[in-house]
């Protein structure tokens, strides 16, 4: 193991230990209830009423599991919110769970409630806007190596990278950034699913199999190009998964493109050193969605635009700029009182430098040199570095005596008659 890899592993392990140490490990619901009593409710808390309404609607439509087994879902959810150990994860992740129940239960929407499925709109728009059916061009040449390159981001990364983003935000950034990720990611996907339900459109695989013949909701989905991955891996995972997908005609917008875009935006914002790599990954995924016949180019553009809109809509001002790089607790970003008031830190010794005529230490008036001819003024007054004269900073105060010239002192002002030099008193033999 190389030194860099070992160092990276140690950094992650130390961050993990610190992250576990920050967790609330209480399992007493009383703690949560006490916090709830003390909580000052605001208008923003009304979003939880929408969560309850959304969950209730889809639970009523849900037929698998049926009643009364489906009541276990809200029961488990309430229990997870009451226990402090689990509520610190489940409460911020509420938008994600709202998206999941919306996506799963959409299969139970009665057919008479559903709008008509558009088969020709997306390929027509793509030809009009881009001059050709780009997705069709990208599928004309296939190769096992290209299949694997497309499969890794589309069939693997799409389902795993959101967890890695959440993990790294939890380990290396503030708690608020993790909550922002859960909120933005959940609402983005929920909005995408709602659009797909209200505006159903067929994917390129449908055009390849059925042409432009009308579609209906009894049709099964297709794995498209991922069927070649099933054949390569001697598996049926993608065939079974996409054939039984709750939203078969959900080509627009592409949530694969949307998720990849929001992941790239978060990683490049909170971990700028990853920017180049995450956008390369995102570009490959854009291509994969079309190569595997799951989306048209206009779907990819729509999903990416939706992600960008949600990112900047949800990103608060206090997480922009350098504030986004604050570690857990944000200690490194706390400003000192000198920074707050735009003053020089007096502990910064480099801001000042004694002149050539000065000694290494400031001269105190208690210890004047007895040597005749040595002026205390030149010896005691420090000078600023070259280029420091015009700075707004603390004045260097060696002593009061060093700020007032000797010839300006008088007994009338309360000063003892001290001259610029010391007179050595005569010895007994000289008197």
């Amino acid at each position: 193991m190389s030194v860099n890899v070992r160092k990276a592993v140690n950094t992650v392990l130390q961050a993990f230990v610190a992250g576990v140490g920050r967790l609330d490990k209480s399992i007493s619901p009383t703690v949560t209830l006490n916090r709830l009593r003390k909580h000052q409710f605001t208008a923003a808390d009304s979003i939880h009423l929408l969560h309850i309404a959304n969950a209730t609607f889809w639970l009523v439509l849900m037929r698998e599991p049926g009643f009364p087994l489906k009541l276990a879902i809200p029961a488990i959810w309430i229990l997870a919110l009451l226990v402090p150990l689990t509520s610190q994860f489940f409460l911020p992740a509420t938008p994600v769970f709202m998206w999941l129940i919306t996506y799963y239960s959409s299969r139970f929407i009665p057919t008479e409630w559903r709008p008509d499925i558009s088969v020709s709109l997306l390929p027509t728009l793509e030809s009009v806007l881009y001059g050709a059916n780009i997705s069709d061009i990208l599928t004309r040449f296939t190769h096992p190596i290209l299949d694997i390159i497309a499969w890794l981001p589309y069939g693997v990364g799409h389902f795993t990278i959101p967890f890695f983003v959440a993990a790294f935000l939890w380990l290396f950034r503030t708690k608020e950034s993790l909550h922002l990720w859960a909120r933005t990611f959940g609402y983005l996907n929920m909005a995408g699913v709602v659009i797909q339900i209200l505006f159903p459109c067929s994917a390129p695989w449908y055009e390849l199999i059925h042409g432009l013949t009308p579609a209906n909701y009894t049709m099964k989905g297709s794995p498209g190009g991922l069927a070649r991955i099933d054949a390569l891996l001697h598996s049926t995972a993608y065939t079974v998964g996409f054939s039984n997908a709750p939203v078969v005609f959900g080509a627009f917008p592409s949530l694969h493109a949307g998720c990849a875009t929001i992941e790239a935006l978060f990683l490049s914002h909170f971990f700028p050193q990853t920017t180049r790599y995450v956008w390369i990954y995102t570009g490959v995924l854009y291509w994969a969605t079309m190569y595997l016949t799951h989306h048209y180019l206009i779907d990819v553009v729509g999903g990416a635009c939706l992600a960008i809109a949600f990112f900047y809509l949800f990103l608060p001002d206090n997480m922009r700029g350098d504030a986004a790089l604050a570690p857990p607790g944000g200690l490194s970003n706390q400003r000192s009182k000198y920074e707050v008031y735009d003053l020089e830190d007096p502990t910064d010794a480099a801001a000042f430098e004694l002149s050539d005529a000065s000694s290494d230490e400031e001269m105190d008036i208690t210890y004047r040199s007895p040597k005749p001819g040595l002026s205390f003024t030149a010896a005691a007054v420090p000078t600023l570095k070259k280029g420091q004269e015009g700075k707004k900073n603390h004045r260097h105060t060696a002593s009061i005596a060093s700020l007032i010239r000797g010839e300006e002192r008088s007994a009338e002002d309360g000063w003892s008659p001290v001259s610029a030099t010391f007179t050595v008193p005569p010895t007994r033999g000289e008197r």
Side-chain angles (χ1 to χ4, degrees):
M1 184 182 294
S2 67
V3 176
N4 290 336
V5 173
R6 189 182 300 111
K7 183 178 179 181
V9 171
N10 288 337
T11 300
V12 172
L13 289 177
Q14 291 172 5
F16 178 77
V17 172
V20 172
R22 293 191 302 269
L23 293 178
D24 184 350
K25 302 174 183 64
S26 172
I27 58 174
S28 173
T30 306
V31 175
T32 302
L33 294 175
N34 289 335
R35 291 174 182 170
L36 186 61
R37 292 191 195 99
K38 298 176 182 178
H39 180 70
Q40 298 294 326
F41 288 93
T42 63
D45 294 318
S46 60
I47 190 65
H48 297 296
L49 298 177
L50 295 178
H51 293 159
I52 295 173
N54 178 77
T56 302
F57 174 78
W58 294 113
L59 279 171
V60 171
L61 289 182
M62 188 184 296
R63 294 196 296 270
E64 296 177 9
F67 185 86
L69 291 179
K70 62 183 177 181
L71 295 181
I73 297 175
I76 294 173
W77 177 255
I78 294 172
L79 179 62
L81 293 183
L82 286 176
V83 177
L85 178 62
T86 54
S87 66
Q88 59 193 325
F89 296 103
F90 278 75
L91 184 59
T94 298
V96 176
F97 288 106
M98 291 300 102
W99 154 54
L100 292 175
I101 193 173
T102 300
Y103 175 73
Y104 172 77
S105 297
S106 63
R107 70 176 72 207
F108 304 116
I109 299 176
T111 304
E112 57 271 17
W113 292 8
R114 296 175 179 267
D116 294 333
I117 303 167
S118 176
V119 173
S120 59
L121 179 61
L122 294 181
T124 302
L125 283 176
E126 182 157 307
S127 299
V128 171
L129 294 175
Y130 308 113
N133 192 328
I134 307 299
S135 58
D136 179 62
I137 295 173
L138 293 177
T139 60
R140 291 178 183 176
F141 176 77
T142 61
H143 190 276
I145 295 179
L146 293 178
D147 292 342
I148 294 175
I149 294 175
W151 163 63
L152 287 175
Y154 192 89
V156 179
H158 174 71
F159 302 100
T160 57
I161 289 183
F163 294 99
F164 282 99
V165 175
F168 272 81
L169 289 173
W170 173 58
L171 292 175
F172 301 108
R173 293 296 179 258
T174 62
K175 179 174 64 175
E176 291 75 19
S177 65
L178 176 59
H179 293 177
L180 176 66
W181 164 249
R183 192 162 57 248
T184 309
F185 184 78
Y187 288 133
L188 165 66
N189 281 277
M190 185 173 176
V193 169
V194 171
I195 294 173
Q196 292 171 352
I197 294 172
L198 298 177
F199 184 56
C201 297
S202 61
W205 60 258
Y206 182 91
E207 185 179 358
L208 293 175
I209 298 173
H210 304 285
L212 297 179
T213 57
N216 61 75
Y217 289 103
T218 62
M219 293 179 169
K220 293 287 187 179
S222 169
L226 288 174
R228 300 193 294 272
I229 297 298
D230 275 347
L232 186 65
L233 300 178
H234 304 288
S235 169
T236 59
Y238 291 107
T239 301
V240 172
F242 281 91
S243 297
N244 295 282
V247 183
V248 175
F249 300 101
F252 183 88
S254 169
L255 286 180
H256 273 77
C259 289
T261 303
I262 202 69
E263 290 157 5
L265 288 169
F266 263 84
L267 288 174
S268 60
H269 182 75
F270 289 97
F271 302 94
Q273 65 273 25
T274 67
T275 300
R276 179 186 307 175
Y277 309 104
V278 296
W279 284 109
I280 290 175
Y281 161 82
T282 303
V284 173
L285 186 136
Y286 289 165
W287 161 78
T289 61
M290 296 176 282
Y291 174 79
L292 296 173
T293 69
H294 281 273
H295 291 285
Y296 295 98
L297 177 58
I298 192 172
D299 306 333
V300 175
V301 173
C305 290
L306 187 66
I308 293 171
F310 268 73
F311 177 76
Y312 287 104
L313 178 65
F314 282 82
L315 183 66
D317 291 338
N318 61 356
M319 289 191 186
R320 299 176 187 266
D322 293 339
L325 308 182
L331 296 179
S332 67
N333 261 8
Q334 287 185 349
R335 298 192 300 167
S336 68
K337 60 184 178 182
Y338 302 103
E339 294 174 318
V340 171
Y341 296 105
D342 193 24
L343 298 172
E344 280 294 320
D345 189 343
T347 61
D348 183 9
F352 299 100
E353 160 180 281
L354 297 180
S355 63
D356 294 337
S358 65
S359 61
D360 292 338
E361 296 182 358
E362 296 173 358
M363 180 176 292
D364 193 296
I365 59 174
T366 309
Y367 303 100
R368 297 181 185 272
S369 171
K371 296 181 180 180
L374 180 61
S375 172
F376 73 90
T377 306
V381 180
T383 59
L384 294 176
K385 277 185 179 179
K386 186 176 181 180
Q388 295 278 350
E389 294 87 350
K391 292 183 65 175
K392 295 184 298 182
N393 51 30
H394 293 277
R395 289 183 172 82
H396 196 65
T397 54
S399 64
I400 296 177
S402 66
L403 299 178
I404 303 178
R405 294 193 297 270
E407 60 270 17
E408 294 179 355
R409 302 194 196 107
S410 67
E412 297 178 357
D413 297 328
W415 289 89
S416 59
V418 181
S419 61
T421 59
F422 280 97
T423 302
V424 180
T427 61
R428 292 183 178 179
E430 294 176 347
R431 292 181 181 176

